[in-house]
Amino acid sequence: MNPWISQPYHRAVMYRPAVLIFSLAALVAFLLWAGCGQKMELPTETTTGQWGSGDTTYVRVNPPWNAQHPYSQNFQSPRDIVIGWDGNIYISDSLRIWQLDRAGQVQRRYLIPDLEDIQAIAQGPDNKIYAVKGDSNVYNLDGTFLQPDLISVRHARYTGIAVDVDNWIYLADSGRQMMLRYQFDDTTRADTLATYGSGGGTVDLPRGIDIDLSGNVYFAQEGGSFHVQKLRPSGDSYRPDVYFGLEGDSLKQFLRPRDVAVDVLGYIYVIDTGNHRVQKFTPGGGFKITFGDSGSAGEQFLSPAGIAVDEDLILYIADSGNHRVERYQLSTEIDIPEEP
């Protein structure tokens, strides 16, 4: 019931004192009887998540994807997760890449020769799959290097990768402290999006990347003054558009965030790895909701490392330390004002 909506008029009823006293006595007796024999306490269990506009909570979708699932996804240490351009879900898992459908059924397992500890993966609109593992190479599925003369350079250490609708390949380079992009069509093109620094529009140990349909670039980083940033295309360059997140364990703070995702409405999701949780923000960077804490039970994470969100706003979370992939779906029932 909304207290600000006027209610139908009810005629007042006059009670005699004796009747009122009897009613109160009966009420007290009932309460004493109801509480007799046990201590009545306030509930201690909390729902998953915090309030936000149009949100009540994120609801865990059961069962999780792991070795106990009917389709038996025996993950070792899932690190990254992406929604492919072909509609499938791709998960990097130590020595291999899993291809699953939306129900979690395994379609294929890719084992890239001589590639261990895959950190991030991406699929382009041409359905080609790429992987990086923190060294100076970008790997194709057959284990060969992508454009080694241009990409495989000294001191590079690629820790994040994404591909946009125009087949630009975006790379987070934690070795040279840069955000780069390449396009290999009829001609080769290369751009530097951001370089080392501590403020907005600069990078310091960049990690996961995501790109929206407008070409905006989102990335999470472990260093710098702002752990989450959005870069906006501006002519032939990129400008800082949104940046937030100091180091810490309070709301809107992060500890070693590893990945970021953006949904079709522009909301930003961050894997707060060191704090074992997920945080969601408005397109302008206003805090929205958080859920999860450290542990192995339901609605808990252990060093989560990757996140993706599909067109139905279902979240897919690579819960690395628990050897599983979790899914969460938004429940929307009430509307509470949000931070702009």
Side-chain angles (χ1 to χ4, degrees):
M1 179 184 295
N2 189 331
W4 300 109
I5 300 177
S6 60
Q7 303 300 320
Y9 171 78
H10 294 279
R11 182 171 57 89
V13 179
M14 299 293 292
Y15 290 96
R16 295 180 180 178
V19 175
L20 181 60
I21 293 173
F22 174 78
S23 299
L24 290 173
L27 177 61
V28 171
F30 172 76
L31 292 174
L32 290 173
W33 171 81
C36 183
Q38 63 180 13
K39 182 180 179 181
M40 301 180 67
E41 299 180 351
L42 294 175
T44 58
E45 183 176 344
T46 59
T47 59
T48 307
Q50 308 292 328
W51 298 115
S53 178
D55 300 339
T56 56
T57 185
Y58 272 88
V59 179
R60 186 184 189 220
V61 180
N62 284 307
W65 292 349
N66 57 13
Q68 285 72 49
H69 190 276
Y71 295 142
S72 186
Q73 306 99 346
N74 190 18
F75 299 122
Q76 296 181 21
S77 181
R79 298 286 294 274
D80 194 18
I81 183 165
V82 297
I83 310 296
W85 289 95
D86 59 5
N88 290 309
I89 297 171
Y90 294 86
I91 300 164
S92 67
D93 181 27
S94 187
L95 304 177
R96 56 192 168 181
I97 297 174
W98 298 69
Q99 177 184 323
L100 282 66
D101 64 17
R102 297 299 178 94
Q105 187 160 3
V106 178
Q107 305 294 305
R108 292 186 65 180
R109 296 180 183 90
Y110 301 94
L111 183 62
I112 302 179
D114 301 321
L115 183 60
E116 298 179 0
D117 194 24
I118 303 171
Q119 295 194 17
I121 55 176
Q123 186 194 47
D126 56 2
N127 291 337
K128 291 182 179 179
I129 299 172
Y130 309 100
V132 296
K133 69 167 190 175
D135 64 10
S136 61
N137 303 304
V138 175
Y139 293 83
N140 298 302
L141 274 183
D142 62 1
T144 60
F145 302 152
L146 175 67
Q147 298 289 331
D149 292 340
L150 182 63
I151 293 179
S152 302
V153 297
R154 188 180 180 184
H155 301 307
R157 188 163 67 89
Y158 300 120
T159 50
I161 186 170
V163 185
D164 71 12
V165 67
D166 296 318
N167 218 25
W168 280 94
I169 298 173
Y170 296 76
L171 294 171
D173 184 351
S174 293
R176 295 178 296 166
Q177 303 285 28
M178 305 170 70
M179 294 289 296
L180 308 160
R181 71 170 188 166
Y182 298 91
Q183 190 179 54
F184 307 107
D185 290 332
D186 296 333
T187 59
T188 298
R189 299 174 60 189
D191 293 329
T192 299
L193 281 58
T195 56
Y196 176 73
S198 60
T202 65
V203 300
D204 187 357
L205 299 177
R207 292 293 184 178
I209 315 171
D210 200 9
I211 317 294
D212 66 22
L213 293 178
S214 298
N216 297 303
V217 179
Y218 304 78
F219 66 92
Q221 61 180 10
E222 296 186 7
S225 299
F226 305 105
H227 286 294
V228 180
Q229 299 199 35
K230 171 187 174 184
L231 304 177
R232 175 174 53 85
S234 178
D236 295 330
S237 63
Y238 280 76
R239 299 177 60 86
D241 187 52
V242 176
Y243 41 94
F244 57 89
L246 301 177
E247 184 167 315
D249 56 9
S250 299
L251 298 181
K252 207 174 179 178
Q253 293 183 340
F254 305 98
L255 187 60
R256 300 186 305 278
R258 293 296 301 270
D259 202 10
V260 63
V262 58
D263 68 22
V264 294
L265 303 177
Y267 287 92
I268 303 167
Y269 305 81
V270 184
I271 283 289
D272 190 2
T273 304
N275 288 317
H276 312 282
R277 64 185 178 184
V278 175
Q279 296 198 61
K280 176 182 177 181
F281 300 87
T282 67
F287 175 77
K288 183 75 173 173
I289 189 171
T290 184
F291 59 92
D293 59 14
S294 178
S296 299
E299 303 176 355
Q300 291 184 323
F301 306 113
L302 193 59
S303 298
I307 188 168
V309 55
D310 68 15
E311 66 277 7
D312 296 320
L313 305 184
I314 297 175
L315 299 179
Y316 301 81
I317 300 163
D319 189 4
S320 185
N322 286 319
H323 320 291
R324 65 191 180 191
V325 169
E326 294 279 11
R327 294 167 295 158
Y328 282 79
Q329 188 166 18
L330 180 64
S331 170
T332 55
E333 297 177 0
I334 63 172
D335 189 18
I336 295 176
E338 67 188 12
E339 179 183 341

